Amino acid sequence: MFNPFTPTLGATPPVLTGREEILEDFRRGLLNGPGSPERVTLYSGQRGMGKTVLLGEVAEIAEAEGWITITETGYPGFTERLTTNLLPTVLNGLEPGTASHLTGVSVGPVAANWSAGRARYPVTETLRSQLQRATELLAGHESGVLITLDEVHHSQIGELRELGAVIQHAITEGRDIAFAGAGLPVALDIVTSDAVSTFLRKAERQEVGLLGSVDTARAYSATIENSGRKIGRLALAAAVDAAGGYPFMIQQIGYRAWLTSPDTVEISLSDVENGISLARRRLDQQIIGPLVSDASPTAQRFLAAMSVDEGPSHMSDIMSRLGCNANYASQYRLHLISAGYIAPVARGQVDFVLPYMREHLRGLVAAQSWDNAEAPTVTDAPVQSELQVTHTPLTSRRSRRPRL
Ligand SMILES: Nc1ncnc2c1ncn2[C@@H]1O[C@H](COP(=O)(O)OP(=O)(O)OP(=O)(O)O)[C@@H](O)[C@H]1O
Ligand SMILES: [Mg+2]
């Protein structure tokens, strides 16, 4: 039988659970008209949380409402790609006299003459002029333009400002335009604190986080049952528990459990257990390992100090394990929260965001015989550069994305 799980990053799962509210907010923004805050939203989440999938869903909602969508990734040159390729493609499909094949929107004649023959002062099309034109052509059809930008990162702040300024103008002019960006929490923190771009600072922020256990169970059971197999109560409970609400793990476990005995109707507890152990290996290789190696040495020690605990860690314990003062520890705490590694869970306590990061760190500590002798004994606050998440050789694996 066909394996319905989608263990590949960016692949839309057959059953998308737990994102109803976020998607409804976006739909409301589209329907409410220009100026509604949800029309400019940034989706923030740790790796593997489902940001790319969410952007795809947002684009589908917009298309279902008759909007044109342009999807881009925030790698260098995206403003140029928009100007020289994506927007011209959209306009070619919209200009009167051309068959509109983009969303089936039929666009009538418009007053302004766009390609005005041989002009004395030739006009070069810009991002702004093309977006203006596209929104003009769509006006009156209850349609607009949505731009989605995945992997928003502060290393491209110049282009983000440029795109932001153009979208800001369009919004001020009352045009039907929407923007949905996605990125890692720390990258979005930096981007949204940019003093120059009001657009980015004012964007709505939606957290794409872990799913609850009910949504996780539904993701498994509906996916399995829709594809003609079954899963028992105990096996389902084990799969839900092991995924910890983490979308990446839900798909990994489901995919590998399904493959374990593909010819039986029911996925058994031992199929799930096998799936969990294979999925954990993938998680370590693809997500946890690169994340830990991207952290600075001191941030790694902070995380290693947390891994001693079975559950949430008290800041007082972390401080005594690291031999550092409260100011120092609290700066790393804030930094690791903003980078999406840890989250505050109660007063004075933090915990890991991703399942199995604790176990991964324990393995590293054991393998490298770390002990408190290696912990920083500094009592001053760390300098800013120490707080950066940088690539360090804790593992030799390289991250596949720009470093934070
Ligand atoms: N709501 C969901 N329910 C179940 N599975 C999901 C959900 N959202 C995403 N997934 C699955 O989780 C995995 C990660 O999704 P996605 O690639 O969108 O994450 P991401 O946040 O963009 O990760 P990255 O930061 O690495 O780009 C994929 O396998 C996807 O199929
Ligand atoms: Mg992604």
Side-chain angles (χ1 to χ4, degrees):
M1 265 177 277
F2 169 75
N3 190 335
F5 287 95
T6 52
T8 315
L9 286 169
T12 299
V15 179
L16 186 96
T17 59
R19 305 296 187 216
E20 295 81 1
E21 261 179 53
I22 294 184
L23 292 170
E24 199 40 50
D25 282 352
F26 177 78
R27 191 195 312 271
R28 189 171 348 106
L30 279 194
L31 299 180
N32 280 355
S36 34
E38 298 88 350
R39 283 198 177 187
V40 179
T41 302
L42 289 172
Y43 298 95
S44 151
Q46 192 46 275
R47 290 178 184 173
M49 282 294 182
K51 301 180 293 298
T52 300
V53 163
L54 202 61
L55 283 186
E57 290 298 304
V58 157
E60 277 204 8
I61 289 177
E63 280 166 20
E65 296 296 335
W67 281 49
I68 303 275
T69 61
I70 299 177
T71 55
E72 244 303 344
T73 306
Y75 299 137
F78 62 83
T79 45
E80 195 186 334
R81 292 194 293 279
L82 283 166
T83 313
T84 58
N85 185 290
L86 297 164
L87 274 163
T89 306
V90 165
L91 285 165
N92 284 334
L94 289 178
E95 283 294 346
T98 61
S100 177
H101 53 271
L102 289 164
T103 62
V105 184
S106 85
V107 179
V110 285
N113 189 353
W114 179 246
S115 45
R118 233 180 289 132
R120 183 157 171 207
Y121 301 100
V123 177
T124 307
E125 300 307 340
T126 61
L127 186 56
R128 185 174 175 191
S129 67
Q130 294 186 82
L131 255 189
Q132 279 177 340
R133 180 60 176 165
T135 49
E136 262 165 36
L137 288 165
L138 292 166
H141 298 270
E142 291 184 20
S143 169
V145 179
L146 164 71
I147 297 177
T148 72
L149 192 67
D150 204 358
E151 314 269 2
V152 171
H153 195 270
H154 48 275
S155 55
Q156 260 51 260
I157 194 75
E159 291 196 51
L160 287 167
R161 282 182 198 146
E162 187 186 341
L163 177 63
V166 167
I167 296 177
Q168 182 70 62
H169 275 299
I171 292 172
T172 312
E173 291 163 0
R175 297 175 188 278
D176 276 309
I177 180 130
F179 174 81
L184 299 174
V186 70
L188 294 188
D189 280 349
I190 298 174
V191 161
T192 52
S193 65
D194 179 41
V196 184
S197 178
T198 347
F199 166 78
L200 294 169
R201 269 190 287 125
K202 286 199 296 196
E204 286 277 300
R205 184 94 172 241
Q206 290 271 17
E207 194 191 335
V208 187
L210 298 173
L211 304 179
S213 55
V214 173
D215 286 327
T216 305
R218 197 156 58 84
Y220 283 119
S221 54
T223 303
I224 291 166
E225 282 156 22
N226 291 348
S227 293
R229 290 183 76 186
K230 288 195 295 193
I231 182 163
R233 201 170 46 82
L234 283 181
L236 179 61
V240 169
D241 191 47
Y246 185 36
F248 175 89
M249 272 305 260
I250 296 174
Q251 299 304 325
Q252 287 289 341
I253 294 172
Y255 184 78
R256 289 163 209 289
W258 178 287
L259 278 185
T260 306
S261 327
D263 299 325
T264 59
V265 171
E266 183 163 328
I267 296 179
S268 68
L269 180 58
S270 83
D271 293 342
V272 167
E273 283 166 348
N274 183 51
I276 293 170
S277 86
L278 294 172
R280 280 191 57 178
R281 246 181 272 165
R282 276 286 160 163
L283 176 69
D284 268 7
Q285 282 167 2
Q286 274 188 262
I287 310 257
I288 306 271
L291 267 180
V292 170
S293 63
D294 274 356
S296 72
T298 318
Q300 289 173 355
R301 288 192 196 98
F302 188 109
L303 296 170
M306 284 177 62
S307 74
V308 172
D309 297 306
E310 290 303 331
S313 303
H314 289 270
M315 285 303 292
S316 51
D317 291 338
I318 297 172
M319 273 156 50
S320 71
R321 286 170 199 155
L322 292 176
C324 67
N325 67 18
N327 185 21
Y328 191 93
S330 84
Q331 290 208 40
Y332 273 97
R333 172 184 171 276
L334 284 178
H335 166 63
L336 285 165
I337 290 172
S338 122
Y341 286 68
I342 65 174
V345 287
R347 207 178 149 72
Q349 292 181 41
V350 286
D351 203 357
F352 294 105
V353 169
L354 297 185
Y356 305 108
M357 187 171 268
R358 185 190 320 280
E359 290 77 359
H360 181 91
L361 287 155
R362 285 178 179 173
L364 290 176
V365 171
Q368 300 189 357
S369 325
W370 279 10
D371 59 30
N372 279 344
E374 282 193 53
T377 47
V378 216
T379 47
D380 291 335
V383 289
Q384 192 55 36
S385 62
E386 269 187 79
L387 289 173
Q388 299 297 316
V389 179
T390 51
H391 183 80
T392 52
L394 189 67
T395 70
S396 58
R397 221 171 280 119
R398 283 204 66 85
S399 161
R400 66 192 170 80
R401 29 175 97 242
R403 268 190 281 135
L404 296 174

